[in-house]
Amino acid sequence: MTEVKQQFSLTNEAAIDALIAQMTLAEKIGQMTQAEKNSITPEDVTRYFIGSVLSGGGGNPEVNTPENWAQMVRGFQEAALKTRLSIPLIYGVDAVHGHNNVVGATIFPHNNALGAARDPDLVRRIAEATSKELMATGVHWDFAPAVSVPQDIRWGRSYEGFSENTEIVTKLGTAYVQGLQDSKPRIMASVKHYLADGGAEWGTSHPPQWITGNWQAPTGNGKIDQGDARVDEATLRRIHLPPYQAAIEAGAVNIMASFSSWQGTKMHAHRYLLTDVLKGELGFNGFLVSDWMAVYQIDRDYAVSVATAINAGLDMVMVPYDYKTFIETLTQAVQSGSVPMSRIDDAVRRILRAKFWVGVFDNPFGDDSLLAEVGSAEHRALAREAVRKSAVLLKNEDQLLPLSRNETIMVAGRGAENIGLQCGGWTIIWQGDNGAITPGTSVLGGIRKALESGAELVYSADGNFAGEELVPVGIVVVGETPYAEGMGDNERVTLLDVDKEVIARMRRRCAKLVVILLSGRPLIITDQLAQADAFIAAWWLGTEADGIADLIFGDAPFTGKLSFSWPRSIDQVPLKALQESAEPPLFPLGFGLS
Ligand code: GLC
């Protein structure tokens, strides 16, 4: 048994015993029900004793401001407190790189970028800043950190993983949990997605075979997201389990189950891994939450799905739409005996423990005094520091960088003036988007601020500049159009043709060429690398791209080191193919020029 940090107080255990003794079955099952905010009214939160409400990616109030977020969340909490026992709900969001659904919030680099920074203290400080912006809006639960260990960069969630390397993920995932939970305000982390979400094989996620009634076929797109990890148990434990063990020892009280499968069995139905290993062997005494509609994927018969998931060890179900049917179905399962009351009581105990521990019984609402921290200069400076520390210099021919500030500089590329692209997925809306989606500084904006008055700066997104003369320095900013989850599964992890064309066009016009790549993963860039004098992997870096200007003009050194191997060609994808390849990768894990 792992030595688990006993973060639950015995007085609360007594209070929980007293509460459970009074609770009706409806009140208990209500605690196990999580509904998404567009599908439930505050009145139904009261009527059905709902334990949690969430905003899915982009689940924003009508007018997306921090104040309106706080008001929206307060409305649901007030409804929960009107119940007979006045058990507060806990509101959850995906704040995976800052409070990223909220316009005006500070958006930090995604986890794959933070992996390249290799700085647990930085990650802890980012989580602390995020917890303040969350508490400003009354949100006590963050569905983060993902402690995925992505083994195939074709996966659309690779960027949510800190690294392909288990040790890096373990260190940074733990730091994130500590940053959310160990400082004031306390936010409950959700360590996800258990287990081996990053270990699925390409082609194993189920294409939607059919959708009948409520039964939701596995929604994988037939590629890799939500697929099957076909590894033996030793490999499963060696690569994917350590981040959870460390997170539990660090005091994690919530873990989210993965859509994916192991050896053909859905994680949401996997009693051995959810209960015997996680709650037994690792001593996890918090609660397990399902992923979005994941329970439907277990069986065509919803009653079988619900009973299987709860008996396997799930404690709360992110339904998230049809909470009434879920409640009816679980009630019938208990009444028929297919789910024992002891399992219900155990689930409720785990949920109430977490609610006492996170503090919603004492302070069910947010802290309006923190609204000034949302998108504050201090938080943006922290994000800028993270950008500086996570960018990786892959090439710097003849020490082209740092550039002087009074050069004539030509800037091109669709990522140069594109806050949405530089932030990537999970930003304001689920999939993210191009354009000025939230306040921030673009790469071009950072360059413009850094140049001295004597310098000349010209910009054209497509690189079609007037004239023929050669200009001294060109900077091209290219990258991946934002995506999230299976929408980002991509067999061709290469640059878009439009980006290749801009690079080639700028090569012809500039004496020296710097390429900056804003992506959620390594891409096949072997040809473009040869065309560039300097090449920077800047990742989906968030709202504070002046951190890039700091680096290219020498205000800060490049220190980033790749946390993912960089394949030379598609033949070196996935990681297993690269490790078996006769040729070395384009750049190995840990590479980075300074
Ligand atoms: C999504 C994701 C999960 C997220 C949840 C709520 O489908 O898999 O990471 O926390 O639903 O948005």
Side-chain angles (χ1 to χ4, degrees):
M1 176 88 115
T2 316
E3 185 42 54
V4 178
K5 182 172 173 182
Q6 287 309 331
Q7 68 279 14
F8 298 125
S9 75
L10 293 180
T11 37
N12 290 342
E13 292 298 312
I16 292 167
D17 290 340
L19 258 181
I20 291 179
Q22 298 173 65
M23 289 169 82
T24 63
L25 179 58
E27 288 164 336
K28 291 176 181 177
I29 291 179
Q31 284 304 305
M32 298 169 69
T33 307
Q34 182 181 57
E36 71 94 18
K37 69 110 188 164
N38 292 320
S39 306
I40 191 165
T41 59
E43 292 71 26
D44 267 9
V45 165
T46 308
R47 182 175 303 120
Y48 293 95
F49 315 102
I50 298 295
S52 174
V53 174
L54 85 145
S55 283
N60 307 325
E62 200 63 34
V63 177
N64 189 344
T65 64
E67 293 73 13
N68 285 349
W69 266 89
Q71 192 184 352
M72 172 181 79
V73 175
R74 174 177 282 271
F76 287 116
Q77 186 63 286
E78 284 167 348
L81 294 174
K82 285 178 187 159
T83 53
R84 181 175 73 94
L85 294 170
S86 196
I87 297 174
L89 63 73
I90 183 164
Y91 199 98
V93 301
D94 296 274
V96 295
H97 62 144
H99 196 355
N100 42 247
N101 291 315
V102 180
V103 170
T106 313
I107 306 296
F108 295 93
H110 271 292
N111 286 354
N112 66 324
L114 298 181
R118 297 282 205 296
D119 183 342
D121 178 64
L122 173 69
V123 169
R124 190 182 45 72
R125 287 183 287 131
I126 287 171
E128 283 178 2
T130 304
S131 66
K132 291 191 177 92
E133 301 199 18
L134 284 162
M135 188 56 81
T137 58
V139 175
H140 289 81
W141 186 5
D142 183 3
F143 303 133
V147 292
S148 323
V149 189
Q151 300 294 295
D152 187 331
I153 55 172
R154 293 172 293 183
W155 185 36
R157 309 196 73 165
S158 297
Y159 64 91
E160 296 185 63
F162 291 104
S163 175
E164 70 189 34
N165 173 281
T166 300
E167 195 185 334
I168 295 172
V169 173
T170 300
K171 275 204 188 83
L172 299 183
T174 301
Y176 197 95
V177 170
Q178 290 165 334
L180 280 183
Q181 301 195 154
D182 294 355
S183 58
K184 290 282 170 259
R186 168 177 284 175
I187 295 291
M188 180 169 79
S190 184
V191 189
K192 69 186 188 180
H193 310 78
Y194 183 87
L195 181 60
D197 55 346
E201 264 183 42
W202 182 267
T204 61
S205 66
H206 307 268
Q209 294 100 344
W210 62 82
I211 310 278
T212 54
N214 263 337
W215 196 65
Q216 164 82 26
T219 53
N221 51 18
K223 295 178 180 172
I224 186 169
D225 186 43
Q226 306 190 13
D228 189 20
R230 294 177 174 173
V231 293
D232 62 25
E233 183 159 355
T235 305
L236 184 82
R237 285 174 171 269
R238 177 171 52 82
I239 294 179
H240 301 284
L241 196 59
Y244 290 93
Q245 193 157 356
I248 292 167
E249 287 164 9
V253 296
N254 178 256
I255 289 174
M256 185 182 295
S258 177
F259 281 119
S260 58
S261 304
W262 177 48
Q263 295 180 344
T265 301
K266 279 280 175 191
M267 282 309 304
H268 279 73
H270 217 294
R271 185 191 175 88
Y272 169 65
L273 290 176
L274 297 179
T275 297
D276 302 346
V277 173
L278 188 66
K279 296 180 174 179
E281 188 185 321
L282 299 191
F284 178 58
N285 48 24
F287 77 95
L288 260 171
V289 67
S290 83
D291 205 334
W292 186 279
M293 293 188 80
V295 167
Y296 292 97
Q297 295 186 6
I298 293 172
D299 191 284
R300 174 191 265 300
D301 178 339
Y302 188 51
V304 171
S305 294
V306 169
T308 303
I310 302 300
N311 287 332
L314 278 169
D315 301 303
M316 182 184 283
V317 171
M318 184 188 294
V319 181
Y321 303 117
D322 190 355
Y323 51 89
K324 292 176 190 170
T325 302
F326 169 70
I327 290 167
E328 280 159 25
T329 307
L330 184 50
T331 303
Q332 283 156 17
V334 174
Q335 288 165 346
S336 69
S338 60
V339 172
M341 182 61 88
S342 58
R343 177 73 270 276
I344 298 293
D345 288 345
D346 175 48
V348 173
R349 172 178 302 285
R350 289 169 177 270
I351 292 165
L352 293 178
R353 263 190 194 139
K355 288 186 172 183
F356 273 109
W357 168 85
V358 79
V360 285
F361 275 96
D362 302 326
N363 301 296
F365 301 109
D367 178 350
D368 290 351
S369 73
L370 293 173
L371 281 167
E373 303 253 11
V374 180
S376 66
E378 183 194 350
H379 288 178
R380 290 182 188 275
L382 175 59
R384 181 172 180 168
E385 174 192 348
V387 171
R388 286 198 296 268
K389 289 183 172 178
S390 55
V392 180
L393 183 57
L394 299 177
K395 183 178 182 182
N396 192 19
E397 205 75 8
D398 305 332
Q399 297 303 306
L400 169 62
L401 298 177
L403 302 177
S404 78
R405 293 171 189 280
N406 51 25
E407 285 279 8
T408 298
I409 294 184
M410 189 175 258
V411 177
R414 61 200 181 89
E417 181 112 87
N418 191 339
I419 297 285
L421 191 154
Q422 72 189 48
C423 287
W426 293 102
T427 312
I428 311 305
I429 59 175
W430 177 44
Q431 291 292 313
D433 201 355
N434 280 300
I437 61 173
T438 191
T441 302
S442 65
V443 176
L444 179 69
I447 294 169
R448 189 176 281 126
K449 278 192 271 182
L451 285 176
E452 282 163 12
S453 53
E456 190 194 344
L457 172 63
V458 287
Y459 165 62
S460 156
D462 61 11
N464 280 317
F465 294 92
E468 299 292 324
E469 74 288 1
L470 212 54
V471 299
V473 178
I475 299 176
V476 191
V477 188
V478 296
E480 287 193 287
T481 300
Y483 51 77
E485 302 194 46
M487 311 293 274
D489 284 359
N490 186 348
E491 203 155 23
R492 288 171 26 86
V493 282
T494 61
L495 290 176
L496 294 178
D497 291 345
V498 62
D499 286 343
K500 293 178 185 174
E501 285 153 19
V502 174
I503 291 171
R505 192 170 298 130
M506 289 290 281
R507 177 68 280 175
R508 294 192 291 273
R509 282 302 302 270
C510 305
K512 295 291 183 185
L513 182 62
V514 181
V515 176
I516 300 174
L517 176 62
L518 305 173
S519 65
R521 54 194 155 194
L523 299 175
I524 307 304
I525 55 162
T526 310
D527 296 344
Q528 287 70 35
L529 187 72
Q531 294 172 290
D533 296 291
F535 203 110
I536 302 168
W539 319 111
W540 279 338
L541 48 75
T543 47
E544 310 309 313
D546 25 22
I548 295 298
D550 295 341
L551 293 169
I552 59 180
F553 293 105
D555 290 341
F558 281 92
T559 56
K561 304 291 179 202
L562 290 179
S563 62
F564 286 82
S565 310
W566 201 294
R568 180 178 301 277
S569 74
I570 199 65
D571 300 337
Q572 291 188 332
V573 178
L575 181 60
K576 194 165 179 295
L578 189 151
Q579 288 163 340
E580 292 165 357
S581 166
E583 278 198 295
L586 190 62
F587 299 107
L589 176 76
F591 181 87
L593 300 176
S594 50

